[in-house]
Amino acid sequence: MINRVTIVVLDSLGIGALPDSPEYGDYNVDTLGNISKVCQGIHLPNLIRLGLGNIEGIKGVESIQEPIGCFGKANEVSKGKDTITGHWEMTGLYITEPFQTYPDGFPLEIIRCFEEKIGKKSLGNKAASGTEIIEALGQEHIETGCPIVYTSADSVFQIAAHEEIVPLDELYKMCEIARNLLVGEHQVARVIARPFAGQPGSFERTANRRDYSISPNGTTILDILANHNMEVYAIGKIEDIFNGQGITKAIHTKDNMEGVDETIKALRENSKGIIFTNLVDFDAKYGHRRNPQGYKIALEEFDKRVPELIEALHEDDIIIFTADHGNDPTYSGTDHTREYIPIVIYGQAVKKSINIGTRDSFADIAATIADIFQVKGLQYGISFKDLIF
């Protein structure tokens, strides 16, 4: 009997272009494969031992004769390639209409209303890289106190402010104001606080980011388990992605390693339900910034921690390593890329060396968890429980 499922999302670790990726402007994208190619290899012995390299069609990592876990990959059904789309689908929801995006900036009526409510002007209002826009407008922001507003290819309204100029509480209040404005016709998936520190020429974003998401548009496996009095422990930005819905306990983390630390702490406790961890550095620090070498190093650092995660598992635990989308750091631009995600499963009760194949949907993860816990209420997904036990 399985009492707990841990999901570790290696944010943006796509493993090859989906058939419809050209519709999203993505050609020959492959986050893991292209990192390995550009960096002349990548050393992930622990994930390989679990079966990562045995996934059909995967590139850049080697396969082995008898992996100790189960392995496969999943296609994305939902329209989009962003964080919310991927996470919601893996918990059992489809997004059939992509979220609204603003490649040319937000309408003036939205910006004017936002400025009126916060009592000051804003800077920017364009699609931009977060690190580049604070370098370009940071000095003016310091001189004027005006927050920097920008977006990306995702459905996001981002507000950047220096922590010594705009206190965090004030920045978060601005985000709440924007969140209340950006509904209906101009609804965006997330409003994001992007605090930074430092001096011109050496600004750095801090760990005090906060996301203000819309709530899921239906019932997720998180809701179902919480309603059955099971624990849903959100680590990293998971709580923000679901706007707190279906979460019974949450902790925010400053980086990947703290995310691993907190997951291990949670595993050492006795609980029934889900531990749901997002490791965002792969995406935020290396994918968007098009830094394949940094991404490679971060993956190798994570791989070294995998044995600790495995050792912390109870005999009635299973752990799933997966992703939410791609973000090929060798590709043009700074946007996510539409890719397959890996699914690698391990537990003492799980069969070894089982290929679960190419799943039709990320939602198969949710369906499998529902099957394990014998709960109903999901609309989408096909369980692979019988393959792995």
Side-chain angles (χ1 to χ4, degrees), residues 310-368:
I310 298 302
E311 185 180 339
L313 295 176
H314 298 186
E315 62 181 16
D316 55 2
D317 279 330
I318 70 168
I319 190 166
I320 300 172
F321 299 96
T322 189
D324 53 342
H325 49 70
N327 199 348
D328 188 337
T330 72
Y331 200 57
S332 59
T334 60
D335 190 17
H336 295 150
T337 45
R338 183 142 167 114
E339 301 182 44
Y340 289 103
I341 60 167
I343 303 175
V344 177
I345 313 116
Y346 176 79
Q348 291 183 35
V350 172
K351 291 179 181 177
K352 293 178 172 57
S353 304
I354 297 296
N355 184 357
I356 65 168
T358 301
R359 312 304 301 184
D360 289 337
S361 165
F362 295 6
D364 288 8
I365 295 173
T368 302

Side-chain angles (χ1 to χ4, degrees), residues 129-368:
S129 157
T131 52
E132 291 174 2
I133 201 166
I134 62 175
E135 285 301 334
L137 298 176
Q139 181 65 51
E140 185 178 357
H141 160 70
I142 289 171
E143 292 170 356
T144 63
C146 299
I148 300 167
V149 171
Y150 67 104
T151 187
S152 71
D154 287 346
S155 180
V156 292
F157 184 102
Q158 303 185 87
I159 308 174
H162 196 291
E163 291 188 358
E164 294 180 10
I165 304 300
V166 177
L168 287 173
D169 287 348
E170 185 179 342
L171 175 59
Y172 295 155
K173 182 63 177 177
M174 289 179 185
C175 289
E176 291 170 4
I177 289 168
R179 178 69 279 171
N180 291 331
L181 281 176
L182 294 162
V183 295
E185 178 187 357
H186 293 299
Q187 177 174 272
V188 297
R190 286 181 294 163
V191 173
I192 307 177
R194 292 289 198 177
F196 64 96
Q199 301 300 316
S202 59
F203 290 131
E204 289 188 359
R205 296 198 291 200
T206 73
N208 295 314
R209 163 183 172 161
R210 187 168 292 178
D211 292 43
Y212 298 78
S213 301
I214 57 173
S215 294
N217 59 355
T219 299
T220 70
I221 188 61
L222 311 184
D223 299 314
I224 294 168
L225 296 187
N227 289 338
H228 280 78
N229 298 315
M230 293 186 224
E231 184 168 274
V232 179
Y233 191 178
I235 297 175
K237 66 177 184 177
I238 296 294
E239 181 183 33
D240 294 340
I241 292 167
F242 291 88
N243 197 25
Q245 184 174 310
I247 308 298
T248 63
K249 184 178 180 181
I251 186 165
H252 292 254
T253 54
K254 68 179 185 296
D255 56 28
N256 279 357
M257 292 300 103
E258 186 179 15
V260 175
D261 291 340
E262 292 297 334
T263 304
I264 291 168
K265 286 181 187 176
L267 282 168
R268 288 175 176 159
E269 298 173 0
N270 290 314
S271 61
K272 182 172 183 176
I274 288 182
I275 300 168
F276 200 176
T277 299
N278 176 281
L279 303 178
V280 73
D281 289 358
F282 304 117
D283 184 56
K285 292 184 178 179
Y286 309 111
H288 285 301
R289 298 184 192 181
R290 295 304 188 246
N291 180 354
Q293 187 65 36
Y295 205 135
K296 169 185 181 286
I297 292 169
L299 282 170
E300 291 176 342
E301 288 175 345
F302 170 73
D303 187 79
K304 291 175 183 176
R305 304 294 306 275
V306 169
E308 295 175 64
L309 289 163
I310 298 302
E311 185 180 339
L313 295 176
H314 298 186
E315 62 181 16
D316 55 2
D317 279 330
I318 70 168
I319 190 166
I320 300 172
F321 299 96
T322 189
D324 53 342
H325 49 70
N327 199 348
D328 188 337
T330 72
Y331 200 57
S332 59
T334 60
D335 190 17
H336 295 150
T337 45
R338 183 142 167 114
E339 301 182 44
Y340 289 103
I341 60 167
I343 303 175
V344 177
I345 313 116
Y346 176 79
Q348 291 183 35
V350 172
K351 291 179 181 177
K352 293 178 172 57
S353 304
I354 297 296
N355 184 357
I356 65 168
T358 301
R359 312 304 301 184
D360 289 337
S361 165
F362 295 6
D364 288 8
I365 295 173
T368 302

